[in-house]
Amino acid sequence: MTAIVSARELTRRYGEGEVAVDALADVSVEFDAARFAAIMGPSGSGKSTLMHILAGLDRPTNGTVTLDGTELGTLDDRALTLLRRQKVGFIFQTFNLLPILDARENILLPLSIAGRSVDQEWFDKLIDAVGIRDRLHHRPAQLSGGQQQRVAVARALVSRPAVVFADEPTGNLDSSASGEVLALLRLAVDDFDQTVVMVTHDAHAASNADRLVVLGDGRIVHDGDALDADGVLDLMKSLS
């Protein structure tokens, strides 16, 4: 397998001297192409910090991150922004759709910002996959939470990024809408060869992944094949 994202000896320190706190401590991990990985851990374990550094949204105190062949530490802020536009898709817990744009415009926003043309065949395939063709001209306020997150999934995929980072993508959804979004992420991996790295606290969400990475106190305490929801819960209890 080919690693799309890899991290070596990451440390992220906040503060200095006696009050310094290491959100990450010497973390090395890599994520293979066309696989679905879940990252779990208790609050304060460092899982969101890890995702932000892997995605180029934050910089480590020490260590290196390589994303699709580019070492992020070699890039200035402008180059890092360009790389994120070209190589990374994001899905957030709060959807992060622009209220003044309709669903179609929100989906195409990454291409508009990057000055890239629309691949209509790929766009149509995405729209049918996420099931929102009849909602394309609705603004976010006219959509349910589940529909908004499906728009957000399409937006993350439209530029065909090297990797999609999903931060608690089902955190604001009911069980039915959560299931739809998780099925879409699974489809993106299985049918579109997308790479997905998802931070979640939800055992059911994690059970949809191929791999489960668990952090505790800024370190990786488990890294293995994904388990069913009960297995995930048992594992988390054993590590707590």
Side-chain angles (χ1 to χ4, degrees):
M1 299 291 285
T2 303
I4 285 291
V5 189
S6 62
R8 292 283 173 269
E9 300 174 354
L10 287 187
T11 297
R12 182 63 171 99
R13 179 165 294 164
Y14 295 98
E16 296 180 3
E18 292 182 2
V19 296
V21 174
D22 284 347
L24 293 176
D26 196 28
V27 169
S28 294
V29 66
E30 55 185 38
F31 296 93
D32 291 333
R35 299 276 284 170
F36 187 175
I39 301 175
M40 297 189 76
S43 179
S45 62
K47 57 187 185 295
S48 291
T49 301
L50 176 59
M51 191 184 79
H52 291 158
I53 290 175
L54 293 175
L57 294 171
D58 189 15
R59 293 185 185 266
T61 307
N62 291 299
T64 62
V65 173
T66 303
L67 194 156
D68 200 24
T70 300
E71 187 179 320
L72 302 190
T74 66
L75 305 178
D76 62 20
D77 288 347
R78 182 174 179 277
L80 196 55
T81 297
L82 289 173
L83 179 131
R84 285 197 304 268
R85 279 182 198 163
Q86 295 167 356
K87 305 270 189 167
V88 180
F90 292 102
I91 303 167
F92 301 97
Q93 179 175 346
T94 52
F95 319 137
N96 281 24
L97 303 180
L98 292 184
I100 63 169
L101 302 182
D102 65 23
R104 183 179 188 278
E105 291 165 334
N106 266 290
I107 292 168
L108 295 177
L109 189 61
L111 300 180
S112 301
I113 291 172
R116 292 168 57 185
S117 59
V118 180
D119 179 338
Q120 193 61 45
E121 183 179 351
W122 173 239
F123 178 78
D124 286 336
K125 183 182 285 190
L126 267 184
I127 295 313
D128 290 337
V130 301
I132 52 166
R133 187 170 290 280
D134 62 340
R135 291 289 186 269
L136 283 179
H137 300 296
H138 289 62
R139 291 187 178 183
Q142 299 169 302
L143 303 174
S144 69
Q147 288 168 340
Q148 289 186 63
Q149 195 63 306
R150 281 187 274 154
V151 170
V153 171
R155 179 185 60 188
L157 295 172
V158 73
S159 60
R160 291 177 166 164
V163 58
V164 169
F165 290 102
D167 191 2
E168 301 279 9
T170 61
N172 279 347
L173 303 177
D174 61 30
S175 58
S176 175
S178 293
E180 292 173 355
V181 168
L182 292 166
L184 285 176
L185 295 178
R186 186 73 257 174
L187 175 110
V189 173
D190 295 340
D191 290 9
F192 301 153
D193 293 329
Q194 185 60 64
T195 307
V196 176
V197 178
M198 173 180 69
V199 166
T200 184
H201 66 275
D202 183 343
H204 173 68
S207 72
N208 286 266
D210 303 307
R211 175 182 173 199
L212 176 61
V213 177
V214 182
L215 271 73
D217 294 327
R219 300 179 185 274
I220 293 175
V221 295
H222 171 86
D223 186 354
D225 291 339
L227 307 164
D228 63 21
D230 289 337
V232 173
L233 287 170
D234 290 341
L235 173 66
M236 298 303 289
K237 287 176 187 172
S238 74
L239 293 172
S240 64

